[in-house]
Amino acid sequence: MSAQTTERETAQPPVRQASGLSLALAQGGIEFKQFVRTRESLVFTLLFPVMLMLIFGSIFANVVITPPGEIPAVTLSQYFVTGMIASGIMATGFQNLAITIPIERDRGVLKRYRGTPMPKWVYFAGKILCVAALAFIAVVLLLGVAVAFYDINLPDTGQKWFTFGWVSVLGLVACTLCGIAFSGVAKSGRAGPAVVTPIALILQFTSGVFFQYNALPHWMQQFAALFPLKWMCQGLRSVFLPESFAAQEVTGSYELGRVALVLAAWCVGGLILCLVGFRWTTKREG
């Protein structure tokens, strides 16, 4: 009898371990649920850009920024909308992660993750999947408001949709990696918003979000050109504004090749910064 029992036990199939993909998807689901249940994050990451678009779009609705008589005319509200879409992508990637990761580090969440058998990359994959879902929702909301209230036309050619896709994806990857890397700057969870929010506002004011980029002082243009947001705004303007508006750009062109090059460079640089500077524990824990 004991021999038969032993044979049955040895004949049982081994316990199947979850694949890396299923672990990443599960982690992404957990991250998304945690985000949705945090009202503050939900409001300031997803709804705040929409509120800004409604407020500033209404203020700038009658301000025309193309030369008199040019057809089609472009209003400052339409120009502003393209920048807010880029800002929404930055908010879900850079701001969201640079603020939430220090909080998790402060609470010991990252330390506990590090002590589990779960591969470390699964944690980051969950963050990336969550950010991708949030960015998609943010862009849909902003596009809905832009089309409904500010006469923005959706891309009418496959080429424009393709440009919209690669600018959004490269920009989101760059902002996400920079957010993970920058999460090590804040010394505590409480310090995260105080460190990250001013940087985001400075980039918005200097990158052609609230004001026409070519009207800014030269030194501001040079400063903004160092960071992804300016190039995201420029790439999205090529999608949503008339081709004739390219003459209003600093170089007289949308420079899509340079947009792709700069955003790709920030993706590589952000990955290097993540590998070098990410911390699982606070400085006091070593």
Side-chain angles (χ1 to χ4, degrees):
M1 191 73 176
S2 60
Q4 292 178 352
T5 303
T6 304
E7 288 180 2
R8 291 196 194 101
E9 290 177 353
T10 53
Q12 289 179 354
V15 178
R16 294 179 60 186
Q17 294 184 350
S19 65
L21 178 59
S22 61
L23 287 173
L25 292 174
Q27 183 65 23
I30 292 171
E31 296 285 349
F32 187 79
K33 289 178 183 177
Q34 288 178 339
F35 179 89
V36 172
R37 290 170 182 171
T38 307
R39 294 181 181 178
E40 296 83 358
S41 299
L42 185 65
V43 170
F44 283 98
T45 303
L46 291 182
L47 300 184
F48 188 63
V50 174
M51 290 187 288
L52 284 180
M53 180 182 287
L54 289 171
I55 293 171
F56 282 93
S58 300
I59 294 172
F60 299 146
N62 297 320
V63 181
V64 179
I65 58 177
T66 49
E70 183 169 327
I71 300 175
V74 175
T75 63
L76 189 53
S77 63
Q78 292 172 317
Y79 187 96
F80 169 75
V81 161
T82 60
M84 282 311 303
I85 294 173
S87 294
I89 294 173
M90 183 182 72
T92 56
F94 175 73
Q95 289 176 259
N96 178 30
L97 295 181
I99 291 174
T100 57
I101 291 178
I103 295 174
E104 293 179 352
R105 184 187 296 115
D106 227 20
R107 293 175 177 174
V109 175
L110 298 189
K111 188 177 182 180
R112 291 195 292 273
Y113 269 125
R114 193 181 185 185
T116 65
M118 183 181 75
K120 294 178 183 178
W121 68 266
V122 172
Y123 170 78
F124 298 105
K127 290 289 187 188
I128 293 169
L129 290 174
C130 178
V131 164
L134 294 174
F136 177 79
I137 295 171
V139 169
V140 170
L141 287 174
L142 291 168
L143 282 178
V145 173
V147 172
F149 297 103
Y150 303 115
D151 297 325
I152 287 289
N153 296 318
L154 293 176
D156 54 2
T157 64
Q159 183 179 358
K160 285 191 174 183
W161 276 114
F162 177 71
T163 301
F164 176 67
W166 68 255
V167 170
S168 299
V169 170
L170 282 179
L172 181 62
V173 171
C175 290
T176 300
L177 293 173
C178 288
I180 295 173
F182 198 80
S183 66
V185 174
K187 294 182 180 180
S188 65
R190 290 184 178 181
V195 174
V196 176
T197 304
I199 293 174
L201 287 174
I202 290 171
L203 291 177
Q204 287 174 335
F205 275 102
T206 59
S207 299
V209 175
F210 299 109
F211 306 100
Q212 192 172 350
Y213 181 76
N214 62 358
L216 296 173
H218 181 70
W219 68 267
M220 281 191 185
Q221 296 178 10
Q222 296 298 312
F223 172 79
L226 299 174
F227 301 97
L229 183 59
K230 180 264 183 188
W231 301 98
M232 292 163 60
C233 293
Q234 187 168 311
L236 292 178
R237 286 198 293 272
S238 74
V239 174
F240 294 102
L241 298 184
E243 292 187 13
S244 59
F245 190 81
Q248 303 296 314
E249 298 289 338
V250 175
T251 60
S253 169
Y254 288 122
E255 299 181 291
L256 291 180
R258 183 173 292 184
V259 171
L261 183 62
V262 173
L263 292 179
W266 267 102
C267 291
V268 175
L271 178 59
I272 294 172
L273 291 174
C274 287
L275 296 174
V276 172
F278 184 80
R279 293 186 292 108
W280 290 90
T281 57
T282 59
K283 291 183 178 180
R284 63 177 178 270
E285 292 176 325

